[in-house]
Amino acid sequence: MTPSRWPLLLLIPAAFIAGLALDERERDDVDASAESVEADPIQTPVVLPGGTGTQVWYCSGMTSGVEGAAQGAIILSNVADSDRTAVITAYSSSDTPADAPVVSQIEIPVGSRVDFTMTQLIDRPGFTAATIEIEGAGVLVERSMVGLGLDRQPCATSTSTSWVDPAGSTLSPDGREVLVLFNPFAADAVVDLRFATEFGERITTEGEGLVVRAQSVTRFELTERITEAEIVSTSLTVRSGQVVLDRLQTFDGTGDLGREGLSSGTAAAQPSDIWYFPHFRLDEGRQELLVIHNPSTERAEVDIEIYAQAGAGVVIPFERSILGGQREVIDLSQAPRLQEAGVTDFSAIVVAANGVEVVPARFLSMLPALVDATELESGDIVEPSIGLGSHIGSINPAPRHLVDIRKPTGSDGSQLIVFNPSVDSIVTAELVLPASDARLTSLEVAPRGFAILLLDDLEDASTIEVQASGDVVVGRELAGLTSRSVALGVPLAE
Amino acid sequence: MLVVVAPTSGGADLAGVLGDLAGQDHQNLIIRVAAPADLDTAVDGLDPEHVLPIRRAGCYADAFDAVVASKTLASSVVFCRDDVEPAPDAISAMLACGEKHDAAIVGCKVVERTRPDRLVSVGLGIDKLGGTMHRVDIDELDQGQHDSVSDALAADFSFFLVDAELLASLDGFDRHIDRVGDDVDFCWRAHAVGAKIAVAADAAVLHDPPRLDTRRRMRHQLRSVFGTYGVANLLLAVPLLLVLSLAELAGAILTARPRRLRNIVGAWTWNIARLPSLFERRARIHRARAVADVRLRYKLLDRDPAWRLFDYTRHDADEERNRGQEFVDALRSASTRAGVAMWLVLLVAFVFGSRLILTGDLPAVGQFQPLPDQPGHLIAQWWTGYSKAGLGVESVGPTGALGAGLLFTVLSPIAEATRVALFVSMMPLAAIGAWKLSRPLGRTHARVALVIAYLAAPISYDAFAGGDWAALAVYAGAPWMLWRMVRLLRAAPYGYVGGTKHPSVPNQPLLYQSLILGVVIGLVAVATPFVVFVVLALVCGLAVGSFFALQMRGIPRVLIGVAIAGGVAVLIHLPWVVALLERPLDWNAVGGSTPATDSGVSFADLLQFDTGPAGLRYVSLGLFVAGIPGLIFGRGWRLAWASRGWFIAVTGFAMAWVAERGWFEASMPNAELLLVPAALGLAVAAAASVAAYEIDVVDAHPRKVPARKAVVGLIGIAALAVATLPGVAAAFDGRWNIPKNDLETAVGFVALDQSDGPFRILWIGDDSVMPLRGWPLDDEGSLTFAATDGRAPTLADQWLVPENDEAGTLREIVELASSGRSARIGSDLAAVGVKYIILVEANATFVSDRIDVPESLVRALGRQLDLRVVDGTNSAITVFENQVWVPTRVLTPSVEGEATDLTLGRTQLQPSGYAEFSGRLQGDSTFFLSAASDRWTLELDGEVQERSSVDGLASQWQVAQDSDAVVRYETPGRYRALTLIQLAGWVVIIISIAGWRSRMERGV
């Protein structure tokens, strides 16, 4: 039987052409789905669920001793379903010959909140840090600092080879910014620090090749090196080793604006092309700055989308072009477009439109000098608030968050904010006590909307869990008699 | 008197010798001609009934069998070739000599035909190793100087007389010895049964010196020794022959004489393959022996064994002279010229492309790793079944380890050269396989096209550049496997289906073909078990191609043959296969350790074979163009083979594509390996195109080829030429793009770091740059992990081993770090003795092609509080040192009621074998060994101690008092049984193949 060539001449080319076409189509689909790159799971603070290995928290930026600028305490909230033991290793400053790390253990009964001061571990004055190793995870770790004010922030869950802190200030006469570098490892780390101010990019001789001794804390007094900078952004890259970078910012109220308070925070370990801020508020005597730092070498095209409270008008997004290594400051409290739209409370999303990743931070200052004297006289305002707060945005919306909502003494107006970044889904968020699963309240949040819950309504609660039906970002603002503290809730990993 | 003429010269001289025999003064000669059926025996005066059909021309064994079968009776038989001219009184003189000396075999004086005054032979001598000793010199003048000597150890067999009784008692000539050496062999056996041999000096025969055939001569000489000596003398002779062969082998390598190399190896393998018949022969001689073997040995001549070397060198030279003449003759043929030119070009290209490897060294890149310090440990790895991969894997004995161990132990003086040869020889092996596969195509240009097209696909160069021995082995083996499969298919010209079988293709039974195919698959599976799927792809392509060629008849036969071959391959690798099957199927041990993910290589890249540094965009598409004319012009078997070639290619590309997209959801080998069927298929299609062009276009239009068809043909040839450019480009750097350096210097520090005790190294990196085979670190990405026992990777780490739970522990520890669930994995790793974690990001130092370990993993390891980055290492690797590591063998004081604290311990016991340590242990202590298997035993002063497990990852024993200790791995009986079955299987396979060959040679 003689084979026919025609089926062959048709089929064989057809097989190859079909393969090429199918490959092209599938590849397009893959390219589209490959856009989201999985982030390092613990580069931003996250609570690992109970029963999964050991989680380590890195708490730094605090001082020990009774006269420290930011007397530190560590707060441990056990949200797991059983008791936990924390191994705490405290490290002292390398300014003087460093002591050996102090190791101690502490039991955290299920559902409880345990705190201790750093002075209990290291009584020598100076900056300190601690690693808290939780066997079995399921514990939220925060540190609180008391000095010229009060701040409470979650500790870091990771060391890193790079850090970015967008918002600090060395403005005289009252501003002081201290960078605190914590190296918990057995080998020295060597880092480079670079800064961006309104005068351009800056480097310092001390910040180049800075050695962070093994198992110690190194203080970098930025105010002494970068003077008179209204807003300083800091980039840290590591030559060898890994560190944790914290910033301590204080104002003593001697300046023209009467700014007074303390804020601290861990820098961001990685830039991103999208950031979420659950809440800003525009009010009398309140300055809300959004600082965006571009740590790369390329120009970043950044859009700031504003999602205002119900009833306010639509706000056209802010657009900024930021050169590599530079930072941009937007004074939202003075932005005409917000005022014209009648915006008082809003959430924001910072998007790097051209993909060049940035790090934005909120910088909140209560400015008594700006309070209208007539309002004081009329009794609308009893006493101008003071305080300082800052936090970096969130890149990690999640359905479950843990927030320690214990209010400071004399709390007035402390609040919890739940922001729904979804474009089209309404989210229901329930606030529950993790130990008992008792439901405190629930909130319904519209797409790209936010809900505010006054903490004064939740008298007995300390650490709560926000359980949402979709991804949300949770914020917290603690308003004390002489302090402000703004922070984000900590996502609970699945 | 019976005279049996066994023509060797194609029958041209038959009339002459028959005339001479008719003129003999001895009357009553019964003349028979024993010749193959295809030999022209039409000679005047020769009754066709007197022509006895035999299988092998000139073979006295066949001739004798034919005489026996014809029941022709005589008391004496004269055997002769057809190119002799006996004197008229030759037979009567031989008879007289035989009667005078009571000789059962009588030879004659042989002189040259053209120069009758020159002696060729007056009988032969036999030395103690079966060698032939000539009694006359070359060109020795016949002055009657040898006429007085009548006895000899052997007679020249061009014309001789033998007593029929002797023939009967010896059951004729050895049926495995064909022409060359039959004189020595038969005469030696005759001596053994007490027969005398004489030379009749007055019986003159004109006969030119026979053409030398060293290959057969060496084979047959060994057979004579093995088959004639008694046991005692054999025990003396075999080691001596072995040593001489090894010396000759080394000499052949050093003097670059591949033919001699082949002859030496071939002589042994040929005889080993015929062991069953050898045993039969020995039994027969033993029964008939009349002269004590010791006495017979005294009769044989002494000769310095070194003479043998010179003798063969001389013979080689003579043979090469003869072959040189044949070569010159063949060169007169245009088609042969093309073949010769191709091989010359390929040889030059290969030497040019490999020059820096052949004159320098082969970097330890990919699987081209150096030999272990003790090659014997490779054999021990197979014999004990204990693999040191990961934290130790039981009952896994890679057959390749045995093969490599034997090879490098035997060739230890030239081990490094052997290592280079092992990897570099794959490309020539592929070319030879393709040449063999193409032989039945008949047309030299088609054969050249097949070889060139196969070599043109840049996959072999890419595989070499990456040190991918698995891909190279499949590349080398694929033509040999297809050769066996197409013979099973029996499609023309490899068989009778759809046309005429080419005469070069012997008829061989299905079982034999399947056995050989199984052996080839088994050999390639030493490098990668994935070869099984390559075979299936070839079968699939053959089946679909045959379907469209309307020639499905042979497919069931192929399927049966491949199934049998699969069984044979399983038998060859038995313990390994059982180890694979009895665990939850670990596909990684088959497909490799590259996880199933989209590699980013598109279908278009695959079609262009653009998967590595050698690929040149668009150029390899020339292979497609070269294969098209077969579909357009081909008729008959040309069209059928074009169809099969194309569908093999389609199957190969499809397999590679699906794998590269990650759709198999299982780890798969590199693209170079997966593309082998595609390259071979396109090569077959290209060869079919050239054959079609020559036969269906040029031959069909003898006067003038139509211009359109000529243009298409020329385009095909030009495209094929263009497609060779990647290979040409790859040859330029003299090392086929393989890096100049390797990781040896970068990881050499571990060799200097043994003083604190034995430890393990955890290796993590992309599969394509890792210097050893491991397991996937996760389901996504291409990271793999592996562990070695405190040393840099070697050849011993190149076999895929099924993963066990203990190895999985390493993965879990790394996952703990990368998920942020631990900041002290050092303490976890300490429990399994890991001191260093080495992240591999390039397969050599100072190369630009890096595949970085994900930054997240580097960060995760960097934030471990008990790991320290080792500064100052080469950028190809990142090294973390575990600061809390514990040696893998530790003796620590026992404290009543307290847990063992390994950090207090110190290293004890030193290696005394592959999986054995010994020394002295102090009492009141605990001995800890980082090995999970309960097959590890500790003997204290000869008594086995009770073992306890440490978290399922290690073993420990209590030591009550000071004792001499031996800790060793005891191989399970079941594994031992499997290895014995495996060995028995090999013997069965060898005997079966030998049996089939023997029967085929005998024409049964």
Side-chain angles (χ1 to χ4, degrees):
Chain A
M1 204 179 298
T2 306
S4 169
R5 71 186 75 247
W6 287 111
L8 298 171
L9 287 171
L10 292 174
L11 265 176
I12 292 168
F16 287 115
I17 291 167
L20 283 168
L22 190 58
D23 183 68
E24 197 64 30
R25 202 183 70 187
E26 295 286 336
R27 200 156 291 282
D28 289 345
D29 294 346
V30 170
D31 291 345
S33 65
E35 282 178 7
S36 61
V37 178
E38 191 183 351
D40 195 336
I42 56 168
Q43 284 269 289
T44 55
V46 62
V47 178
L48 299 178
T52 53
T54 300
Q55 183 167 22
V56 182
W57 294 79
Y58 303 86
C59 302
S60 180
M62 308 168 287
T63 59
S64 59
V66 292
E67 293 180 358
Q71 294 171 50
I74 292 175
I75 305 151
L76 309 164
S77 301
N78 183 355
V79 296
D81 53 7
S82 59
D83 295 351
R84 289 285 182 268
T85 301
V87 177
I88 299 147
T89 310
Y91 303 85
S92 57
S93 170
S94 62
D95 291 352
T96 55
D99 293 331
V102 177
V103 181
S104 58
Q105 281 196 6
I106 192 166
E107 300 297 322
I108 320 162
V110 60
S112 69
R113 181 179 187 276
V114 175
D115 56 12
F116 59 89
T117 64
M118 290 306 291
T119 308
Q120 289 174 263
L121 301 175
I122 294 177
D123 56 3
R124 196 176 65 182
F127 278 91
T128 62
T131 57
I132 294 96
E133 297 173 53
I134 313 287
E135 175 73 34
V139 173
L140 170 66
V141 180
E142 291 195 317
R143 71 311 183 27
S144 76
M145 284 139 292
V146 179
L148 287 169
L150 179 145
D151 197 6
R152 206 159 79 215
Q153 297 286 343
C155 294
T157 50
S158 167
T159 59
S160 181
T161 54
S162 64
W163 292 97
V164 179
D165 180 69
S169 176
T170 61
L171 203 62
S172 64
D174 53 350
R176 180 191 178 199
E177 181 178 358
V178 181
L179 299 177
V180 184
L181 297 93
F182 172 35
N183 175 10
F185 301 101
D188 291 351
V190 181
V191 304
D192 291 324
L193 293 168
R194 289 173 178 271
F195 307 97
T197 69
E198 56 267 41
F199 311 112
E201 198 172 2
R202 303 278 295 274
I203 57 172
T204 65
T205 51
E206 298 88 345
E208 290 287 297
L210 176 66
V211 176
V212 185
R213 298 281 174 215
Q215 299 190 324
S216 72
V217 180
T218 293
R219 179 184 60 168
F220 190 86
E221 282 284 357
L222 194 59
T223 313
E224 297 171 4
R225 296 172 176 97
I226 308 285
T227 57
E228 296 295 341
E230 186 180 356
I231 293 292
V232 187
S233 295
T234 303
S235 296
L236 179 150
T237 52
V238 166
R239 293 187 191 177
S240 68
Q242 292 196 22
V243 296
V244 179
L245 175 66
D246 277 87
R247 171 186 46 80
L248 178 65
Q249 177 72 55
T250 60
F251 282 95
D252 63 9
T254 56
D256 294 342
L257 296 174
R259 189 153 33 190
E260 183 179 347
L262 170 153
S263 82
S264 72
T266 306
Q270 60 193 58
S272 174
D273 56 3
I274 187 163
W275 295 85
Y276 303 94
F277 288 87
H279 187 235
F280 292 89
R281 181 165 201 179
L282 306 182
D283 202 355
E284 197 73 26
R286 182 178 173 115
Q287 185 188 49
E288 290 272 16
L289 301 180
L290 178 65
V291 184
I292 305 168
H293 179 44
N294 173 11
S296 75
T297 54
E298 299 171 59
R299 178 192 294 269
E301 302 294 342
V302 179
D303 294 345
I304 300 106
E305 300 167 5
I306 304 295
Y307 299 98
Q309 84 279 10
V314 175
V315 180
I316 298 168
F318 295 88
E319 293 178 2
R320 292 290 184 274
S321 182
I322 309 170
L323 291 173
Q326 301 292 333
R327 74 359 168 218
E328 179 75 19
V329 180
I330 305 168
D331 187 349
L332 296 169
S333 45
Q334 298 295 321
R337 71 179 73 172
L338 296 177
Q339 292 170 358
E340 288 163 8
V343 174
T344 55
D345 292 278
F346 59 96
S347 302
I349 299 177
V350 178
V351 180
N354 65 343
V356 176
E357 296 178 330
V358 296
V359 180
R362 176 190 183 192
F363 194 88
L364 165 66
S365 305
M366 305 307 291
L367 305 176
L370 294 185
V371 176
D372 192 340
T374 55
E375 290 188 30
L376 280 172
E377 289 166 6
S378 67
D380 290 346
I381 298 174
V382 180
E383 187 181 352
S385 297
I386 58 171
L388 201 63
S390 68
H391 69 80
I392 291 169
S394 167
I395 57 172
N396 195 11
R400 298 172 72 191
H401 292 258
L402 292 169
V403 194
D404 182 350
I405 57 170
R406 176 171 291 187
K407 300 178 288 293
T409 308
S411 167
D412 180 17
S414 296
Q415 55 193 16
L416 181 82
I417 307 98
V418 179
F419 171 51
N420 174 12
S422 168
V423 182
D424 50 12
S425 300
I426 296 173
V427 163
T428 303
E430 294 197 338
L431 277 58
V432 299
L433 291 172
S436 60
D437 266 351
R439 191 169 74 92
L440 301 175
T441 186
S442 69
L443 305 166
E444 194 168 82
V445 190
R448 294 279 160 111
F450 57 89
I452 298 175
L453 179 74
L454 287 174
L455 297 180
D456 298 333
D457 298 341
L458 302 170
E459 284 297 336
D460 299 326
S462 57
T463 299
I464 62 163
E465 180 180 338
V466 177
Q467 295 179 348
S469 57
D471 286 347
V472 294
V473 179
V474 176
R476 176 190 68 191
E477 179 170 341
L478 302 176
L481 282 175
T482 58
S483 67
R484 290 279 161 168
S485 170
V486 287
L488 295 175
V490 180
L492 182 63
E494 293 297 323
Chain B
M1 171 71 68
L2 173 65
V3 179
V4 180
V5 182
T8 58
S9 57
D13 296 323
L14 189 58
V17 72
L18 291 178
D20 292 337
L21 289 172
Q24 288 291 310
D25 57 4
H26 188 279
Q27 300 301 307
N28 301 326
L29 293 179
I30 305 168
I31 298 173
R32 294 290 182 267
V33 174
D38 57 353
L39 201 74
D40 183 10
T41 52
V43 177
D44 288 344
L46 176 62
D47 186 347
E49 289 187 0
H50 293 166
V51 178
L52 307 176
I54 60 173
R55 199 167 55 84
R56 294 168 294 180
C59 177
Y60 286 153
D62 288 1
F64 172 73
D65 289 342
V67 169
V68 172
S70 69
K71 297 181 179 168
T72 310
L73 302 175
S75 58
S76 300
V77 185
V78 170
F79 284 92
C80 68
R81 316 287 185 203
D82 61 339
D83 53 351
V84 295
E85 295 177 29
D89 61 345
I91 291 179
S92 54
M94 288 162 75
L95 268 173
C97 178
E99 286 171 7
K100 179 180 175 186
H101 297 285
D102 192 22
I105 300 172
V106 182
C108 54
K109 180 164 78 175
V110 184
V111 294
E112 288 186 24
R113 289 172 83 174
T114 50
R115 297 184 300 170
D117 58 339
R118 307 287 169 168
L119 286 168
V120 174
S121 170
V122 286
L124 303 166
I126 307 172
D127 70 22
K128 287 187 166 55
L129 292 178
T132 309
M133 295 178 73
H134 295 269
R135 301 167 86 179
V136 297
D137 290 332
I138 296 170
D139 286 344
E140 185 173 330
L141 208 56
D142 181 14
Q143 296 171 312
Q145 67 272 34
H146 296 289
D147 290 358
S148 59
V149 182
S150 59
D151 61 331
L153 283 173
D156 187 292
F157 266 22
S158 56
F159 193 93
F160 71 105
L161 181 145
V162 58
D163 184 71
E165 277 185 30
L166 178 66
L167 273 174
S169 65
L170 292 176
D171 190 26
F173 304 88
D174 189 318
R175 288 169 184 82
H176 291 276
I177 295 180
D178 176 14
R179 287 184 288 178
V180 181
D182 52 2
D183 42 14
V184 166
D185 183 76
F186 187 78
C187 293
W188 193 352
R189 289 194 293 141
H191 283 295
V193 298
K196 274 190 73 178
I197 296 161
V199 175
D202 47 354
V205 170
L206 302 181
H207 182 233
D208 284 332
R211 175 161 290 173
L212 294 170
D213 186 341
T214 312
R215 186 169 67 122
R216 290 190 189 197
R217 185 181 150 88
M218 294 178 82
R219 289 176 175 182
H220 298 167
Q221 181 181 341
L222 280 186
R223 185 171 174 87
S224 298
V225 173
F226 294 160
T228 316
Y229 266 138
V231 175
N233 281 324
L234 192 64
L235 290 175
L236 286 172
V238 169
L240 186 58
L241 280 169
L242 197 60
V243 170
L244 281 170
S245 292
L246 288 175
E248 286 177 273
L249 209 60
I253 292 169
L254 290 173
T255 56
R257 288 177 175 273
R259 189 186 302 282
R260 180 133 49 109
L261 189 77
R262 189 194 67 184
N263 290 346
I264 297 162
V265 175
W268 284 89
T269 54
W270 185 86
N271 277 282
I272 290 168
R274 285 157 184 77
L275 281 178
S277 68
L278 205 59
F279 289 134
E280 282 177 26
R281 169 184 155 142
R282 290 183 57 80
R284 217 167 26 243
I285 289 185
H286 181 70
R287 285 194 297 271
R289 189 181 294 279
V291 177
D293 198 38
V294 180
R295 282 186 57 201
L296 181 55
R297 185 179 159 81
Y298 276 120
K299 288 178 73 172
L300 300 179
L301 303 172
D302 281 316
R303 181 159 60 169
D304 185 347
W307 168 264
R308 178 186 155 97
L309 302 179
F310 170 74
D311 196 31
Y312 280 129
T313 307
R314 185 167 62 91
H315 286 152
D316 280 350
D318 291 344
E319 189 178 8
E320 278 161 20
R321 264 201 304 278
N322 291 334
R323 287 182 192 276
Q325 188 56 47
E326 287 174 5
F327 179 74
V328 171
D329 293 342
L331 270 182
R332 290 177 186 148
S333 149
S335 63
T336 308
R337 272 203 302 274
V340 171
M342 179 201 76
W343 281 111
L344 281 175
V345 168
L346 289 183
L347 180 67
V348 169
F350 176 72
V351 172
F352 179 72
S354 315
R355 64 190 183 278
L356 296 181
I357 296 168
L358 298 175
T359 57
D361 62 346
L362 181 63
V365 170
Q367 292 174 271
F368 297 172
Q369 289 302 314
L371 306 175
D373 293 338
Q374 293 170 293
H377 280 187
L378 287 167
I379 303 172
Q381 183 180 343
W382 168 80
W383 180 241
T384 59
Y386 185 73
S387 168
K388 294 182 180 175
L391 302 180
V393 181
E394 284 188 90
S395 299
V396 176
T399 307
L402 171 66
L406 289 173
L407 183 69
F408 291 112
T409 302
V410 171
L411 300 178
S412 56
I414 52 167
E416 185 53 28
T418 309
R419 169 181 164 264
V420 173
L422 186 67
F423 300 127
V424 175
S425 63
M426 293 296 130
M427 284 191 270
L429 209 56
I432 296 167
W435 184 250
K436 191 169 180 65
L437 172 66
S438 69
R439 189 176 178 193
L441 298 180
R443 300 292 175 127
T444 305
H445 292 124
R447 300 187 68 186
V448 169
L450 200 154
V451 176
I452 294 293
Y454 191 47
L455 293 177
I459 49 178
S460 61
Y461 315 116
D462 285 334
F464 196 88
D468 189 347
W469 184 46
L472 283 173
V474 171
Y475 181 74
W480 299 90
M481 293 187 289
L482 187 60
W483 162 240
R484 289 292 160 186
M485 281 189 254
V486 297
R487 288 174 63 186
L488 285 167
L489 186 65
R490 284 183 168 172
Y494 298 88
Y496 303 101
V497 178
T500 311
K501 183 170 83 76
H502 191 270
S504 67
V505 182
N507 287 325
Q508 291 172 338
L510 183 144
L511 190 57
Y512 176 79
Q513 296 273 16
S514 307
L515 283 176
I516 299 285
L517 177 60
V519 170
V520 177
I521 295 172
L523 286 174
V524 180
V526 164
T528 172
F530 193 82
V531 64
V532 174
F533 295 89
V534 173
V535 170
L536 292 180
L538 291 173
V539 171
C540 189
L542 275 179
V544 179
S546 297
F547 173 78
F548 282 101
L550 307 178
Q551 291 176 2
M552 289 291 285
R553 241 177 73 190
I555 293 300
R557 201 176 136 83
V558 174
L559 294 176
I560 293 168
V562 168
I564 295 170
V568 171
V570 165
L571 198 57
I572 289 174
H573 295 273
L574 188 61
W576 185 91
V577 174
V578 172
L580 180 72
L581 294 178
E582 69 185 2
R583 292 177 168 87
L585 185 60
D586 181 8
W587 174 259
N588 303 317
V590 177
S593 42
T594 304
T597 51
D598 185 352
S599 66
V601 177
S602 69
F603 190 60
D605 294 334
L606 293 173
L607 294 184
Q608 297 167 74
F609 295 100
D610 189 10
T611 59
L616 292 178
R617 209 143 189 83
Y618 306 120
V619 168
S620 293
L621 292 177
L623 294 173
F624 287 77
V625 178
I628 291 173
L631 295 175
I632 299 174
F633 305 138
R635 295 175 185 278
W637 64 260
R638 275 83 59 201
L639 181 57
W641 278 104
S643 168
R644 292 188 187 99
W646 275 105
F647 278 105
I648 289 172
V650 168
T651 312
F653 282 120
M655 181 171 74
W657 181 47
V658 171
E660 291 301 308
R661 296 305 307 267
W663 289 343
F664 272 135
E665 296 189 351
S667 57
M668 297 297 284
N670 291 336
E672 287 78 27
L673 191 158
L674 297 164
L675 284 172
V676 166
L680 189 55
L682 287 179
V684 169
S689 293
V690 173
Y693 188 74
E694 286 196 346
I695 297 170
D696 301 320
V697 176
V698 177
D699 292 357
H701 303 84
R703 302 185 73 178
K704 188 180 180 188
V705 175
R708 187 166 42 89
K709 293 187 174 183
V711 168
V712 172
L714 287 174
I715 289 174
I717 293 165
L720 182 57
V722 169
T724 61
L725 288 178
V728 173
F732 268 97
D733 77 343
R735 50 174 68 247
W736 304 111
N737 291 328
I738 198 167
K740 291 177 184 171
N741 307 296
D742 51 33
L743 291 178
E744 260 189 307
T745 49
V747 300
F749 70 93
V750 297
L752 307 171
D753 189 34
Q754 307 288 336
S755 56
D756 292 336
F759 57 84
R760 285 199 176 94
I761 302 171
L762 174 60
W763 304 80
I764 298 173
D766 188 278
D767 186 49
S768 61
V769 297
M770 282 279 273
L772 71 171
R773 311 299 288 271
W775 301 286
L777 190 61
D778 51 27
D779 296 334
E780 298 170 356
S782 57
L783 279 188
T784 62
F785 74 99
T788 56
D789 51 344
R791 57 177 172 76
T794 68
L795 199 63
D797 304 305
Q798 305 308 317
W799 284 281
L800 291 165
V801 170
E803 182 183 335
N804 59 1
D805 292 342
E806 292 79 37
T809 303
L810 289 171
R811 177 191 291 116
E812 289 167 10
I813 293 172
V814 175
E815 280 174 355
L816 273 180
S818 55
S819 64
R821 294 170 201 274
S822 176
R824 293 187 188 274
I825 65 166
S827 55
D828 298 321
L829 292 171
V832 291
V834 172
K835 183 176 182 182
Y836 292 107
I837 302 173
I838 298 183
L839 305 183
V840 185
E841 298 185 311
N843 60 7
T845 55
F846 308 112
V847 292
S848 54
D849 293 335
R850 295 170 56 88
I851 302 181
D852 291 339
V853 171
E855 181 62 27
S856 59
L857 178 60
V858 180
R859 278 202 305 261
L861 293 175
R863 62 181 169 236
Q864 299 305 305
L865 297 168
D866 45 13
L867 298 183
R868 182 183 72 88
V869 177
V870 177
D871 294 324
T873 56
N874 189 278
S875 63
I877 58 172
T878 303
V879 182
F880 291 90
E881 182 184 2
N882 182 1
Q883 297 191 296
V884 293
W885 77 282
V886 174
T888 52
R889 297 189 304 278
V890 163
L891 186 73
T892 187
S894 297
V895 180
E896 189 71 31
E898 289 186 17
T900 307
D901 186 354
L902 296 176
T903 58
L904 301 176
R906 60 186 186 284
T907 305
Q908 290 290 319
L909 305 189
Q910 296 305 314
S912 54
Y914 170 68
E916 181 181 295
F917 310 95
S918 60
R920 190 152 181 86
L921 293 181
Q922 291 173 331
D924 295 329
S925 55
T926 303
F927 179 71
F928 169 88
L929 180 71
S930 177
S933 168
D934 58 6
R935 303 298 305 181
W936 283 92
T937 60
L938 173 69
E939 285 181 15
L940 295 177
D941 292 332
E943 287 190 15
V944 176
Q945 305 298 305
E946 186 180 350
R947 167 191 174 277
S948 56
S949 173
V950 184
D951 300 331
L953 291 175
S955 307
Q956 69 178 27
W957 294 268
Q958 296 302 319
V959 182
Q961 57 191 23
D962 293 7
S963 316
D964 287 328
V966 178
V967 60
R968 68 165 68 88
Y969 176 80
E970 300 287 350
T971 302
R974 183 165 168 275
Y975 176 81
R976 183 66 71 236
L978 286 173
T979 53
L980 293 177
I981 294 171
Q982 181 189 27
L983 287 174
W986 293 355
V987 171
V988 169
I989 291 168
I990 291 169
I991 291 176
S992 302
I993 291 173
W996 279 110
R997 288 187 71 102
S998 172
R999 265 176 277 175
M1000 284 184 295
E1001 280 182 7
R1002 293 204 308 269
V1004 178

